[in-house]
Amino acid sequence: MSPFDFDLVVIGGGSGGVRAARVAAQHGARVAIVESANYGGTCVHRGCVPKKLLVQASRFPRSAASARGYGWAAEVADLDWRRLIAHKDTEIDRLEDVYERNLQGVGVQTFHAHARLVDAHTVQLDGDERRLTAARVLIATGGRPATLDIPGKEFAITSDEAFHLDALPRRVLVVGGGYIAVEFAGIFRGLGSEVDQVVRGPRLLGDFDEDIATVLARHMTQQGIRLHLGQELARIDKGATGLVVTTSTGSRLDVDAVLLAVGRRANTDELGLQAVGVAMDDRGAIVVDALGQTNIPSIHAIGDVTDRLNLTPVAIREGQAYADRVFGGLDVPVLDHETVPTAVFTSPEIGVVGLTEQAARARYPDLRVLTTTFRAMTLAFGGSPDQVFVKVLVDRPTDRVLGVHLLGEGVAEMIQFIAVALIAGATWQHFRATVALHPTIAEEIVTLKD
Ligand code: NDP
């Protein structure tokens, strides 16, 4: 007879925590999960899901412009922002219900409270006298947007608030050059805002292949997004008609909203981690081994709270693997981060898998780099200036494909399956042996020449 109330208490009801709790319960474990805000976490409420809906909303004016090239008298005018946000919220409420009902359906006890560790096997629920004891604790509390410590920082918003603005800002300054910054710059511009973007480095998307970042910057500039590279935000003041921002070079801009997208921090505050002695790194993320084990044997952590590869499907995979290993007794291989595909939902979007050219050159001296840039027939016919960019990296001695980098319409859907090929160890000869499917954008990948 176990001395604990539960076999597992999961702290955090986001994508990773929910998956771990559900699968552990399906393996027969007695499971509780504690969430202080909303089941579904960042992805469902303040990330991937609402972001994708806003991206879709922002693309209709582009589609309408293209439709005119096809003979339609199409116009898209007068965005009803409030209706868009209300409809998005209805969809998210529905998803949250589904998340919690799925947990309860497999017997997981769900709690709405802030959880704090008291010792290696005990969790205290705030605002509640209850303490939950468990053989194991899984921390899956995710992350939150970082902010900047500058004068006027209280006037800025982050991606959390951007999904709930009362009105679409007419003039927006986006700060940062990562995933969130470029996606929101594209959303606001597509919806009709004037957009300036301040990036402290010399380029966008510092972790991505340099060429694809250059091609993206060209498209964003063409769409009217004003990029200010090599500058930082120095201060924000209230002006007569909105906000006045000053950058590190002394430039001043009048805007209505300042969106900080300067990275994310692990949610490790007030979890009682110091008291229990859970090791954290200098950015406050929980230190774990390849299996998510912390320095305390009964405590594991998964997802963004460990600040490794901060992507929803990675957290889900880690949650599934934890539950399968610990409660299902399965021998689950460690996830290979190098073959995780990722997309950036700019317009046009980016899809990548594998090594960047810079990383590949460092490890594979005899590298073959195949690239092409072209205009897709159907877009060009509609008058769109958008280009498609393709880069494939091949290790010449083994012919193995090391990385594929795409920018263009629909490439997020393509890269999912190119990742299958890379995981299967595909060579460039395999790509070349595949007969082109005509007329598509994807055929240009398999017909690519040096
Ligand atoms: P990123 O790490 O992608 O980018 C952070 C950006 O902020 C970088 O340009 C960085 O510049 C800049 N920055 C950091 N500190 C400062 C500072 N003090 N002043 C000015 N600029 C600064 O973080 P995001 O917030 O965009 O996204 C967080 C994570 O969320 C991503 O890593 C990603 O994994 C995930 N995500 C995934 C998405 C997807 O899959 N489509 C979409 C959105 C987010 P520098 O390069 O110089 O450090």
Side-chain angles (χ1 to χ4, degrees), residues 51 148 176-181 183 200 232 261-264 310-311 342-345:
K51 180 274 302 290
L148 293 179
Y179 277 88
I180 297 179
E183 288 182 343
R200 71 173 172 186
E232 290 187 53
V262 291
R264 294 179 64 87
N310 298 335
L311 296 170
T342 186
V344 186
F345 290 99

Side-chain angles (χ1 to χ4, degrees), residues 41 63 130 244 265 333 361 364 395 399 415-416 431:
S63 304
R130 267 173 300 184
V244 182
R265 295 283 172 272
R361 283 205 183 284
Y364 299 88
D395 176 38
D399 201 39
I415 209 75
Q416 176 73 79
F431 277 71

Side-chain angles (χ1 to χ4, degrees), residues 259-270:
L259 171 68
L260 301 182
V262 291
R264 294 179 64 87
R265 295 283 172 272
N267 270 334
T268 47
D269 295 347
E270 294 168 39

